[in-house]
Amino acid sequence: MAIETLLLVPVDINVWKAGTAGPPDPTQPDHGVIAQKGDALTICIDGTSQNPPSIAPNQPVWKISQMQSDGSYSSTWQQIGTGPRFDYTTTTSGVFELEAVFFGDDAHASKYLRKADETGQGQTVSYNKKGTPDAFGVTDTAIQIAIKHSAGINLGSAAYDVGTNHPPSFPPGSDKCNLFVADKCNDAGAIVPWINGLNPFKPYPPTANQWAGTDPKNIPNWTLLPANALPQPGFVVSDPNSLGSGHCGVLDYDGWGIGAGVTYHVSKRYPFFPESRQRQYSP
Amino acid sequence: MKFILMFLLAAITGSSDLAAQQLNNNQTDAVKQLLTAIEQGMKAQMPDAPDAVAERPALLRRIPEYRTLESEIDALWIPAFRNLATVAPTETSQLILVQAAGNMNPENYVNFLNDIASRYEQRSISEALLNRAINPDGKLEYILADNYQNRAVIEFCQRAKRIFANNPQMISMFDAILSGETEKGIADMRRGGGLNLPEIKLAQRGPLLSHTPNVSPLPAATSSPVPANTPSPTAAAPAVETEAPSHTFGIVVGVILVLLVIGGVFAWMRRRG
């Protein structure tokens, strides 16, 4: 049987930051592959094997597709390398899907897939399941990675539930998505000024509508990106709501927003969409 | 003569019930069609994760049928929830209905909450859905806190405390609402520029919960989202005021027809006499 026939069966693909032990544990809350632009990623077929299967040395051809501003992925796949295992030095920031193409057969390319259902969300969701396409993230700055980690380790946490009390400004019954964003960014060292409040002893962090720019109050050190900006992990993303207070979160490695909702614990339920706007920490 | 009149009255009442039933069926079909179209719209927006769209009202509003549902929700929620198993058999479709209710007429909202609470107690909806109804993402977001002195709101919050008897966080949330602590915090946010959502004040009314319960019997739930030891509702029955007009209309029409018949009979008898 020809090797081309054998390779019609999808192969397992792993990605991890070059120089680290191997792929991240997908069952941990803050998993996912993330790197700063210029860092190298190790890309490999056949699991974490140090000795990938012996096939033609120029196979497969690795291609990536970047997440667009509306959350969809580009239909253009860009070639980034060849061979069963190679180190890819990242050159562009963003969120990327990855595929391995054998012998030019794009129709049967093997995709980089999620190894486990999304975890740490407190509740099961019907998406981001094991076997659906996964992605890796590349950031402009190191602090974006820190922001992403700071939010990610809180997945599943009840600390920002609507019923919680965060004196003096957030009594039980108040939405706390903006408090979550401010706290997690501050924890990561990205200062979010508490710009609201008449009483200096009772300030409030920026609201979701302010993060989204529909409420024009300035948020110092946080640049409001154009509506067509390509998503990156560690951006603050916000969904304005003219009929309500909106919703904000932090973009994870795969472009999904991590946020504190009113119905669930801190969770990853927010795909990126055109109504949303992003901000980047740029002191 | 007496029997003839009784027969006529029964016939008229029966026909008005039939008309009401027909109206109910039409509304049920309308909601079902809207939900089907909305779910198709969700899939078009996000083929890999359509359910995620249901969590974001801003995305739902991109679907024309959702905007229709939202604008008609005051008239449609009663038939929709009465036939929930048929109209919205999945949690996602139920979530769409609850999301749309987040912008209903404020005066209907507490009735809606009581109805949802009953359904939660009867194990036909999930706790997440009840939570979303209590915390709507829209103009009604802080309506409970803003109306913490309103009798209907107080009664609902007390009821919710019984429902969430095993959840200290929810108890403390409803305690904060009832004490006015939440309202004070929200008012501070509004004054300080942290919240642009206008305050909505409900009209103070009589004891809403003394009304006859109007929640129809529910089909047996396929799964049980509620622990078996959940306190059962006794005092707090939902008051569905919006259902009254169709019955009232039928009764008024019936009475007028009966009076016309009686008048006609009297006129005929006088002419003969």
Side-chain angles (χ1 to χ4, degrees):
Chain A
M1 191 180 288
I3 193 165
E4 291 90 333
T5 310
L6 283 172
L7 289 170
L8 284 176
V9 179
V11 296
D12 188 26
I13 296 173
N14 273 302
V15 184
W16 65 94
K17 197 168 170 191
T20 60
D25 180 351
T27 61
Q28 293 303 305
D30 185 34
H31 64 270
V33 177
I34 186 168
Q36 188 179 347
K37 188 168 67 176
D39 290 345
L41 296 173
T42 299
I43 295 176
C44 178
I45 60 171
D46 194 28
T48 60
S49 165
Q50 297 301 304
N51 298 300
S54 173
I55 55 176
N58 61 343
Q59 296 297 324
V61 172
W62 296 95
K63 295 183 177 181
I64 56 173
S65 164
Q66 185 164 12
M67 181 183 266
Q68 302 299 293
S69 58
D70 65 356
S72 67
Y73 281 87
S74 168
S75 56
T76 306
W77 288 83
Q78 177 199 347
Q79 182 176 331
I80 56 167
T82 58
R85 174 181 169 143
F86 85 112
D87 282 352
Y88 164 55
T89 301
T90 56
T91 56
T92 310
S93 301
V95 175
F96 301 90
E97 283 189 341
L98 172 70
E99 68 178 19
V101 179
F102 292 90
F103 305 105
D105 187 3
D106 286 286
H108 296 98
S110 289
K111 305 277 185 192
Y112 174 45
L113 302 175
R114 293 178 190 272
K115 304 288 188 294
D117 294 352
E118 195 63 69
T119 57
Q121 299 171 98
Q123 288 87 15
T124 307
V125 290
S126 61
Y127 36 85
N128 292 347
K129 295 282 193 190
K130 179 181 178 181
T132 59
D134 204 351
F136 64 83
V138 181
T139 65
D140 285 337
T141 64
I143 204 162
Q144 286 174 237
I145 296 177
I147 295 169
K148 177 266 177 200
H149 283 316
S150 175
I153 57 175
N154 279 265
L155 274 169
S157 165
Y160 293 88
D161 282 6
V162 71
T164 57
N165 187 17
H166 291 256
S169 305
F170 288 86
S174 58
D175 283 356
K176 298 171 182 74
C177 64
N178 58 330
L179 178 64
F180 171 77
V181 166
D183 281 356
K184 296 310 123 191
C185 290
N186 282 323
D187 289 350
I191 306 304
V192 175
W194 287 34
I195 57 175
N196 298 307
L198 295 177
N199 181 343
F201 298 103
K202 209 172 176 185
Y204 300 92
T207 64
N209 285 336
Q210 287 165 347
W211 280 113
T214 54
D215 177 330
K217 201 162 187 173
N218 181 42
I219 306 175
N221 297 332
W222 288 86
T223 304
L224 180 64
L225 302 174
N228 61 355
L230 300 180
Q232 287 181 34
F235 281 176
V236 170
V237 64
S238 188
D239 205 12
N241 187 350
S242 59
L243 300 174
S245 51
H247 187 70
C248 55
V250 169
L251 285 190
D252 202 359
Y253 75 95
D254 57 359
W256 280 67
I258 299 170
V262 296
T263 317
Y264 304 98
H265 302 324
V266 173
S267 60
K268 191 168 148 184
R269 295 174 163 267
Y270 307 100
F272 187 73
F273 269 90
E275 291 79 4
S276 306
R277 291 293 293 274
Q278 304 169 98
R279 285 189 190 251
Q280 183 174 27
Y281 187 59
S282 44
Chain B
M1 177 70 195
K2 190 179 170 185
F3 289 112
I4 293 170
L5 287 176
M6 284 176 68
F7 176 77
L8 277 170
L9 187 60
I12 289 161
T13 311
S15 69
S16 77
D17 281 352
L18 269 177
Q21 183 59 43
Q22 185 59 44
L23 180 65
N24 182 54
N25 290 344
N26 291 344
Q27 288 172 323
T28 302
D29 289 344
V31 179
K32 206 171 166 181
Q33 283 169 15
L34 284 174
L35 286 173
T36 304
I38 292 165
E39 291 193 86
Q40 283 167 356
M42 287 159 54
K43 208 161 190 173
Q45 283 196 65
M46 188 116 194
D48 293 334
D51 291 356
V53 177
E55 312 217 4
R56 310 246 315 244
L59 300 181
L60 284 170
R61 277 191 204 103
R62 289 162 59 90
I63 304 167
E65 289 82 2
Y66 178 76
R67 296 197 296 273
T68 304
L69 178 67
E70 219 176 29
S71 64
E72 302 290 329
I73 193 69
D74 285 297
L76 295 180
W77 73 268
I78 291 171
F81 277 87
R82 179 177 289 152
N83 304 296
L84 198 63
T86 312
V87 171
T90 65
E91 180 152 0
T92 299
S93 51
Q94 291 169 11
L95 177 60
I96 297 167
L97 281 173
V98 171
Q99 294 280 32
N103 282 292
M104 71 188 341
N105 182 339
E107 299 297 332
N108 289 334
Y109 178 65
V110 181
N111 291 338
F112 166 75
L113 281 185
N114 276 305
D115 186 275
I116 286 281
S118 295
R119 292 177 192 283
Y120 174 68
E121 289 165 330
Q122 293 172 52
R123 306 178 185 190
S124 66
I125 64 161
S126 70
E127 185 174 327
L129 216 61
L130 175 62
N131 266 328
R132 172 47 86 186
I134 291 170
N135 301 287
D137 189 349
K139 68 181 183 185
L140 304 179
E141 191 170 331
Y142 290 120
I143 193 167
L144 293 180
D146 283 339
N147 292 277
Y148 72 100
Q149 291 174 313
N150 182 286
R151 189 195 311 267
V153 170
I154 292 169
E155 286 173 344
F156 174 74
C157 290
Q158 298 288 7
R159 179 183 190 183
K161 280 178 66 179
R162 290 192 293 274
I163 290 173
F164 292 105
N166 298 323
N167 185 336
Q169 198 179 81
M170 291 299 273
I171 297 275
S172 76
M173 182 179 97
F174 283 106
D175 279 341
I177 291 173
L178 286 166
S179 70
E181 183 193 349
T182 306
E183 192 273 339
K184 190 169 174 296
I186 302 304
D188 280 348
M189 281 188 201
R190 285 194 173 103
R191 277 194 297 272
L195 184 67
N196 294 328
L197 207 58
E199 184 181 3
I200 294 175
K201 280 290 183 194
L202 293 171
Q204 187 68 264
R205 295 191 197 161
L208 283 175
L209 302 184
S210 63
H211 289 200
T212 308
N214 264 330
V215 174
S216 58
L218 296 165
T222 49
S223 62
S224 170
V226 186
N229 62 353
T230 301
S232 68
T234 48
V240 186
E241 295 187 325
T242 46
E243 198 169 26
S246 62
H247 287 294
T248 310
F249 178 75
I251 290 167
V252 168
V253 169
V255 168
I256 290 170
L257 283 172
V258 167
L259 288 174
L260 283 173
V261 169
I262 291 171
V265 169
F266 270 103
W268 177 71
M269 286 172 71
R270 283 178 67 180
R271 204 178 273 181
R272 282 195 69 189

